[in-house]
Amino acid sequence: MTVLETADGSQEARYPITKNISYMYQVYCSYIMVYKNTDKRKDFMNAELLKSSLTELARKYYKPVAGWFDVNGDDFDVVVRNDKFNDPPFATQTLDMSYDNLMEQVRASNEQLLVPNSPSPFIGPGNLEIPMILVKMTYLESGEAAVLGITYHHSLMDGSAFWLFMYNWANLCHQMATHDEGMQSERHIPCPPSFGVPSLSHLHDPSAKFDHTEYALVDASDCIREFKLGTDSIKENILRISVEEQHKVRAMAKQYVNPRAQLGLSAFLCASPVVNLATSRTLGQLAEMELEDVAKLVYQTITKGSAAYICSSMDFLVTHRMAEIEDEKQGRAGKKAMLAYVCPAPAKCTISSSRNFPIYQTDFGFGSPEYVRPPYLPFDGCMRIWPTPQSRGEGLSNKEAALEVYLSLPDYVDLS
């Protein structure tokens, strides 16, 4: 960060995020987390404790989360002050409904009921004082359960950084619940974050040329929202993969890609270095292939993820972002780079995995989540691999357990 003295003598730090993000990730991403009050505690998921620990986490350890966006020429910054904070909004509500009815709302991903309403996510001169994170706690009148609905701005964190944030928040809250208020100096978080993506220039390979088919260039005038929906009605199918089935597929696929490791980035870096790898296949084509051939295709796709490829991908996005800004300045109708899977097109399959994130280790001192609902994504062929409550391990490590697959498909497709 660059630290400056302001006219009134306070300090202001600027955290540049232009290359921390691809500009297309100006979106809010939401999760719904259910906690069951099995011990019938009266102070279960105490709102004041959750709010105060979140505020302390943001101000002390995740200062950009308590900051503001700013447009600095062609760059995006997060501005952090030592005398003024953009603390995460924290709302509560109590519902008179049964636990079973609540779970129906959660599984249906009723974000309107259970997740805080977020403002427009697009960073611009008229939309800078938007929160990085918003929280909504829902309690049942019976005291049987509570739901933590959270939404965060994807420009600051990818999934890996977000779930580390949640893990740190849960740990800090747990300490505040068991320590005296005067012991603040003794509190700590298990995974202190770092900020600022280091230079990757040494990883570039000028001789390598890549065709970034994972992105689509579309008319900017047609993109009034970040994710452009098609005309099909999309339904979500939830599949379950046993440990035995996982072993079989991994043996055939042989390899996975870790973008942070490829780039030499810390696992605790709070950033959004999202990398997409693609090969062109429709769901219909995949359905006709043998499982072993599908695994080989996955292997061939992820092995493209070299450091040179990832750097080229980031350069591709920055180049098109700059072109888009220039087109806007000149009043021209230009092109916008978007993820191919969110553009209306023939059926395709996009796969993302959260299987290694410490999702079920977020114990705020009241027990681990009973169920965590990933966001519903209404895009044809969008597949998300998700851990189950049985995956919860020690620390950041997950145990080997069955996984869930959330697959979005047009409602006329029958998987039975």
Side-chain angles (χ1 to χ4, degrees):
M1 295 186 184
T2 302
V3 180
L4 304 171
E5 292 287 338
T6 63
D8 59 4
S10 59
Q11 286 189 340
E12 176 181 286
R14 284 188 170 266
Y15 168 51
I17 62 170
T18 304
K19 293 186 179 180
N20 172 28
I21 63 171
S22 71
Y23 66 99
M24 66 185 63
Y25 286 105
Q26 293 180 46
V27 294
Y28 279 104
C29 186
S30 303
Y31 297 94
I32 303 172
M33 309 176 69
V34 181
Y35 291 83
K36 196 168 184 180
N37 189 5
T38 53
D39 295 332
K40 303 188 183 306
R41 291 178 56 173
K42 291 186 177 181
D43 64 341
F44 183 68
M45 294 295 283
N46 181 276
E48 286 302 317
L49 178 62
L50 290 167
K51 182 178 180 180
S52 60
S53 58
L54 175 61
T55 299
E56 180 171 321
L57 181 73
R59 292 187 180 188
K60 186 174 180 180
Y61 300 101
Y62 284 87
K63 293 182 179 179
V65 171
W68 293 264
F69 289 114
D70 192 21
V71 178
N72 184 17
D74 291 339
D75 292 326
F76 294 145
D77 289 343
V78 173
V79 178
V80 179
R81 293 178 61 100
N82 67 343
D83 62 340
K84 183 182 178 184
F85 304 95
N86 186 19
D87 291 325
F90 193 104
T92 63
Q93 65 175 347
T94 302
L95 300 179
D96 182 13
M97 66 169 59
S98 69
Y99 176 76
D100 289 343
N101 191 0
L102 175 70
M103 289 304 297
E104 288 179 8
Q105 302 303 316
V106 172
R107 294 189 184 281
S109 193
N110 189 341
E111 295 188 2
Q112 185 174 358
L113 176 66
L114 300 171
V115 173
N117 294 325
S118 56
S120 168
F122 299 110
I123 306 168
N127 198 42
L128 298 175
E129 295 192 10
I130 56 178
M132 311 292 178
I133 287 176
L134 301 92
V135 175
K136 184 177 186 179
M137 285 301 304
T138 299
Y139 300 91
L140 294 184
E141 281 194 359
S142 65
E144 192 174 354
V147 174
L148 193 163
I150 186 165
T151 187
Y152 72 97
H153 203 285
H154 210 326
S155 67
L156 196 62
M157 303 179 189
D158 59 7
S160 176
F162 171 75
W163 286 109
L164 277 178
F165 175 90
M166 293 299 293
Y167 183 72
N168 281 326
W169 178 19
N171 273 268
L172 185 62
C173 183
H174 205 155
Q175 292 173 62
M176 291 177 68
T178 55
H179 292 173
D180 293 335
E181 185 63 29
M183 300 176 66
Q184 180 175 354
S185 61
E186 296 183 19
R187 293 198 288 266
H188 66 281
I189 56 174
C191 307
S194 60
F195 296 89
V197 177
S199 172
L200 304 175
S201 58
H202 62 290
L203 300 176
H204 283 261
D205 183 357
S207 64
K209 303 298 180 185
F210 301 104
D211 181 10
H212 292 288
T213 56
E214 64 269 32
Y215 302 108
L217 296 180
V218 298
D219 290 336
S221 58
D222 293 338
C223 298
I224 57 174
R225 47 181 294 164
E226 195 64 24
F227 288 163
K228 188 175 180 182
L229 303 180
T231 56
D232 288 332
S233 175
I234 302 297
K235 67 178 180 180
E236 188 177 59
N237 304 269
I238 303 178
L239 313 175
R240 198 169 180 90
I241 306 178
S242 68
V243 172
E244 293 74 18
E245 290 169 324
Q246 294 173 51
H247 285 171
K248 183 178 179 180
V249 174
R250 286 179 203 154
M252 291 184 287
K254 298 179 182 177
Q255 185 175 335
Y256 71 97
V257 64
N258 184 335
R260 288 173 179 254
Q262 291 278 32
L263 297 174
L265 301 179
S266 166
F268 296 168
L269 175 68
C270 186
S272 190
V274 178
V275 175
N276 298 277
L277 304 170
T279 190
S280 298
R281 293 293 189 279
T282 66
L283 281 171
Q285 291 170 330
L286 291 176
E288 295 174 358
M289 296 170 62
E290 295 293 331
L291 180 59
E292 185 173 358
D293 293 328
V294 175
K296 288 179 180 178
L297 182 62
V298 172
Y299 171 74
Q300 292 166 0
T301 304
I302 62 179
T303 51
K304 294 196 305 184
S306 65
Y309 185 94
I310 295 171
C311 289
S312 174
S313 178
M314 296 174 75
D315 287 345
F316 177 90
L317 291 171
V318 170
T319 298
H320 284 284
R321 175 182 175 273
M322 295 306 177
E324 182 185 348
I325 290 174
E326 187 60 29
D327 287 335
E328 290 177 353
K329 287 179 179 178
Q330 301 300 325
R332 296 191 296 256
K335 296 287 186 180
K336 178 181 176 76
M338 294 178 68
L339 287 169
Y341 78 83
V342 300
C343 297
K348 60 261 180 186
C349 185
T350 295
I351 303 172
S352 63
S353 176
S354 303
R355 60 178 293 270
N356 289 324
F357 297 160
I359 294 170
Y360 283 95
Q361 283 89 304
T362 49
D363 179 357
F364 289 88
F366 305 93
S368 299
E370 183 78 7
Y371 174 68
V372 180
R373 181 63 164 87
Y376 166 61
L377 298 179
F379 306 117
D380 188 0
C382 189
M383 179 187 294
R384 284 151 300 143
I385 302 171
W386 196 252
T388 57
Q390 294 73 35
S391 305
R392 183 172 68 88
E394 297 295 327
L396 297 177
S397 299
N398 284 347
K399 293 191 298 188
E400 203 170 48
L403 298 172
E404 287 184 333
V405 174
Y406 291 76
L407 177 59
S408 300
L409 292 170
D411 57 10
Y412 56 78
V413 176
D414 185 2
L415 289 181
S416 61

